[in-house]
Amino acid sequence: MRRATIPPGRGSATRVRWRGLGGRVGHGLRLHPATAVWGTFDEEVRPWTGTIQARYSDEFADLDDGYGFMLETTGVHPAFFALATPWRDAAQFDSVMRELPHVSLVGVLLRDRDGGRVTVSRAGRPRIAYAVSPYDQRHVRRGVEAGARVLAAAGARRIWSMQTRYVPLEPANEAVERWMSRVDAVGYGPNRTLYATFHQMGTCRMGADRRSAVTKPTGETYAVRGLYVADASLFPASSRVNPMITVAALGHHVAQAMKERL
């Protein structure tokens, strides 16, 4: 997007080749990888009703130099539950899905330290390279254990993680520590634990030094005058909390900078 080269067209067709923004654009991708621990209760919970996110805990948000995880609740649509339910066979899957009215969850929202990158293929399509690093996986493990303990304390009779293998825990018959050894055997890497992302951050970093940033402190890109970024891609790293308010504040900040240029 920095400069376009437009060669002579054949007939009415015109080809455009984009050079791109260059520099650090696409680097530093952060995703707040999220997984969950599920619990089945004797009473009806009806998790598709009520407030979307009513509770959270930041007790584990700073495990190591500001990195860790949040525990959060959220509503559960049947399609989301189907996606997140491990598959062993049809009977097991059907049995778990029928428990939905009695199910609740504790979400584990990771502040990822180690990020990925977005590039563009020769065909002009985005290519995303990202994996939860071993460092961040250790925090995921802590989150799974903490979520299981919350559900057990709340009275869940069966607990399981959002992994590709169904590993149920019955707190009345097994200690969380022993269950975690079985969860560890499945693992927390690719095709082992299912992750979701709701917050994409960091690929157009804002900063005063163009060698390490894509945009100026105003949100205007260094490469293209008049091109502004006003979303979570401005973040220099992943945030410790859900970034909705921060994104709104950045949008306001960038809008004021744009107004000053009018």
Side-chain angles (χ1 to χ4, degrees):
M1 288 181 287
R2 181 167 51 192
R3 187 177 67 189
T5 302
I6 307 178
R10 295 182 179 179
S12 60
T14 300
R15 292 182 294 119
V16 179
R17 182 168 66 252
W18 298 99
R19 290 183 57 188
L21 291 173
R24 298 294 298 173
V25 67
H27 290 258
L29 176 66
R30 303 295 195 277
L31 294 177
H32 274 174
T35 188
V37 187
W38 302 87
T40 301
F41 294 83
D42 290 329
E43 64 272 19
E44 274 203 352
V45 180
R46 298 173 59 85
W48 57 85
T49 63
T51 309
I52 295 178
Q53 287 185 297
R55 292 178 174 83
Y56 77 94
S57 170
D58 59 2
E59 180 178 350
F60 304 98
D62 187 0
L63 294 176
D64 179 22
D65 197 25
Y67 288 92
F69 58 88
M70 302 275 285
L71 296 178
E72 301 181 350
T73 59
T74 189
V76 182
H77 187 279
F80 174 44
F81 189 52
L83 172 69
T85 298
W87 173 277
R88 184 177 64 205
D89 53 46
Q92 168 266 320
F93 186 80
D94 178 72
S95 174
V96 174
M97 287 299 299
R98 289 177 182 274
E99 293 182 345
L100 177 58
H102 296 263
V103 164
S104 187
L105 87 162
V106 173
V108 180
L109 181 75
L110 179 73
R111 185 191 182 202
D112 43 338
R113 185 194 70 175
D114 303 322
R117 186 178 178 186
V118 179
T119 57
V120 179
S121 70
R122 290 182 178 274
R125 297 176 179 173
R127 301 175 64 179
I128 301 171
Y130 183 96
V132 180
S133 71
Y135 169 88
D136 289 323
Q137 286 181 35
R138 289 194 290 272
H139 290 168
V140 173
R141 184 195 188 280
R142 290 281 301 274
V144 171
E145 181 178 4
R149 292 188 183 281
V150 169
L151 290 167
R157 57 179 167 82
R158 185 180 299 112
I159 296 168
W160 69 98
S161 61
M162 214 160 83
Q163 292 179 294
T164 53
R165 188 187 306 167
Y166 182 56
V167 184
L169 161 69
E170 295 183 357
N173 301 319
E174 184 180 12
V176 172
E177 293 85 356
R178 183 175 178 182
W179 175 72
M180 284 301 301
S181 67
R182 296 194 289 126
V183 172
D184 291 342
V186 179
Y188 308 94
N191 301 316
R192 299 293 180 175
T193 292
L194 178 64
Y195 295 99
T197 172
F198 305 96
H199 313 139
Q200 297 79 46
M201 303 162 282
T203 51
C204 290
R205 183 176 183 175
M206 174 190 283
D209 186 347
R210 68 182 303 157
R211 293 172 298 181
S212 60
V214 176
T215 81
K216 305 172 185 177
T218 59
E220 184 181 25
T221 62
Y222 282 104
V224 179
R225 179 178 170 83
L227 175 63
Y228 288 82
V229 179
D231 59 20
S233 57
L234 294 173
F235 287 18
S238 58
S239 61
R240 284 182 60 176
V241 296
N242 296 44
M244 180 180 69
I245 295 175
T246 309
V247 172
L250 279 172
H252 177 77
H253 167 77
V254 173
Q256 303 316 302
M258 295 173 68
K259 284 168 56 179
E260 291 177 2
R261 287 196 55 184
L262 296 177

